[in-house]
Amino acid sequence: MTELLFKVEENPDEGYTAKALGVSIFTQANSYELLKASVIDAVHCHFDDEQKRIIRLRYVKDEIIFT
């Protein structure tokens, strides 16, 4: 079974973006729940087969703390 890893980031304006690592898939949505559905749809559109895949979402959040 193939595993796809997506880097998920919060969009500074609003919503979230997800970019697959190693495959040309990118999607965005206004909420995290909608993003998950959008990632599934994007994977189905990118791959034209019936193979089952594991989708891993890695949420990345950068914070800057000044002291």
Side-chain angles (χ1 to χ4, degrees):
M1 190 174 289
T2 304
E3 182 173 325
L4 298 170
L5 175 62
F6 282 81
K7 178 181 175 184
V8 177
E9 295 179 300
E10 195 168 346
N11 189 336
D13 298 327
E14 73 175 56
Y16 297 87
T17 60
K19 182 178 182 194
L21 303 179
V23 182
S24 296
I25 302 174
F26 177 84
T27 189
Q28 59 187 19
N30 289 332
S31 72
Y32 191 74
E33 291 301 317
L34 289 174
L35 182 72
K36 289 192 288 186
S38 183
V39 166
I40 292 169
D41 287 342
V43 168
H44 285 237
C45 288
H46 186 80
F47 297 102
D48 219 8
D49 55 21
E50 295 296 320
Q51 180 182 350
K52 297 290 184 187
R53 292 176 173 82
I54 297 171
I55 298 172
R56 184 180 303 269
L57 302 178
R58 179 150 303 147
Y59 184 76
V60 177
K61 181 176 181 180
D62 289 329
E63 286 189 55
I64 299 173
I65 302 172
F66 295 99
T67 61

